[in-house]
Amino acid sequence: MIEVKQLTKEFRIAGDKNLTVLKDINLVIEQGDIFGIIGMSGAGKSTFIRCLNLLERPTGGSILIDGVDITMKKGRDLLALRKSIGMIFQNFNLLMQKNVSRNIAFGLEITKVADFVIPGIDKEDYKELGFFQKRKLKKKEIQRRVDELLRLVDLEDKKYEYPSKLSGGQRQRVAIARALATSPSILLCDEATSALDSRTTDSILKLLKKINEETGVTIVMITHEMNVVQKICNKVAVLDKSEIVASGYTEDVFGDTSSEIVAQLLGGGEV
Ligand SMILES: Nc1ncnc2c1ncn2[C@@H]1O[C@H](COP(=O)(O)OP(=O)(O)OP(=O)(O)O)[C@@H](O)[C@H]1O
């Protein structure tokens, strides 16, 4: 569970002034939610999602993940936190000189076994078996995990292909596999379908839903596309000028047309 309490973020701008981009944000995101954050351009969506994995440090308030405040984490704790939170982006951010397999393996090559749980083996069993020690993953273990992820995102036939030979949708599938490699409990999606056509968007959303159902991963996605939220998110928060102006179950939030911003979002179909 993610609990965001009185979160604020200010940026220092020219002339020694502060720009408040997030103001008193309070949100609860339950384990297994697909939670959408929607709002106009400049509302603060990217800043918010980047605060969740500390790519941006909040100026005030707290972010609790499973009861632990992450906002002060540094060094090794911060690295461990980042491994438990995967992220995908609008422009995929793949390593163009590495093939699909190497792209997915990248995070695993720099991960120690003890930093994450090998799928299928209970963490407690792992400890009891005495395997819970810091060591690099073996090539075979990495390959097994990469193959598993390739099956999950339905890209087994592209294992040795380079990103330049892939479509946008296929690139995003590679990015999803890479983000899930260390079995994170949270997946952040930053406008993950904005660069894709509507059919490809649908197939990526279907994949994210399948992954959410099969693994229970919590998905937090920011988007300016209404239809994305309506298709996949069970809950949504509307961010307007740095503040949350509505939040709750998607059908309730979008059903409340007394809210000007919601009406605006629904009217435009897109913001
Ligand atoms: N590093 C920074 N320094 C100063 N101002 C920033 C910084 N990052 C973002 N901002 C400002 O914060 C505000 C919110 O930006 P943010 O990117 O979070 O909005 P957004 O809702 O994601 O917008 P969009 O949908 O256009 O990406 C904007 O006014 C932006 O200029």
Side-chain angles (χ1 to χ4, degrees), residues 66 80-81 83-84 112-134 182-185:
D66 296 332
L81 172 81
K83 277 175 194 140
S84 69
K112 304 265 174 54
V113 168
D115 289 340
F116 81 106
V117 182
I118 299 276
I121 301 181
D122 187 79
K123 198 168 185 171
E124 288 310 308
D125 292 346
Y126 218 69
K127 267 189 212 164
E128 262 175 40
L129 290 167
F131 292 155
F132 204 71
Q133 56 188 318
K134 295 271 178 193
T182 54
S183 304
S185 58

Side-chain angles (χ1 to χ4, degrees), residues 54-89:
L54 297 188
L55 285 177
E56 294 288 357
R57 290 256 169 202
T59 316
S62 54
I63 300 170
L64 276 65
I65 296 186
D66 296 332
V68 178
D69 189 356
I70 62 159
T71 47
M72 293 301 165
K73 285 199 184 293
K74 288 191 184 112
R76 292 176 67 92
D77 286 350
L78 180 59
L79 287 178
L81 172 81
R82 295 245 170 88
K83 277 175 194 140
S84 69
I85 305 179
M87 190 163 185
I88 57 170
F89 305 86

Side-chain angles (χ1 to χ4, degrees), residues 124-225:
E124 288 310 308
D125 292 346
Y126 218 69
K127 267 189 212 164
E128 262 175 40
L129 290 167
F131 292 155
F132 204 71
Q133 56 188 318
K134 295 271 178 193
R135 68 163 173 84
K136 280 194 157 184
L137 286 168
K138 293 181 186 145
K139 273 204 174 119
K140 249 184 162 172
E141 289 172 322
I142 293 177
Q143 268 320 304
R144 204 176 62 196
R145 181 71 179 135
V146 167
D147 289 344
E148 215 170 63
L149 289 157
L150 283 169
R151 266 198 302 281
L152 181 73
V153 300
D154 202 14
L155 272 188
E156 288 152 289
D157 56 334
K158 302 289 180 196
K159 185 171 176 179
Y160 300 110
E161 206 61 88
Y162 282 80
S164 60
K165 298 275 176 60
L166 301 178
S167 69
Q170 289 166 338
R171 288 183 198 188
Q172 196 57 292
R173 283 171 187 267
V174 177
I176 291 169
R178 184 184 55 180
L180 295 173
T182 54
S183 304
S185 58
I186 298 166
L187 177 65
L188 306 178
C189 307
D190 187 350
E191 297 280 5
T193 55
S194 298
L196 306 174
D197 63 41
S198 64
R199 249 182 62 192
T200 314
T201 291
D202 281 353
S203 80
I204 293 294
L205 294 180
K206 255 169 110 175
L207 174 64
L208 289 172
K209 182 120 182 85
K210 179 183 96 165
I211 290 167
N212 165 263
E213 283 167 1
E214 285 180 7
T215 67
V217 69
T218 305
I219 298 179
V220 184
M221 48 169 59
I222 60 162
T223 179
H224 64 281
E225 296 171 305

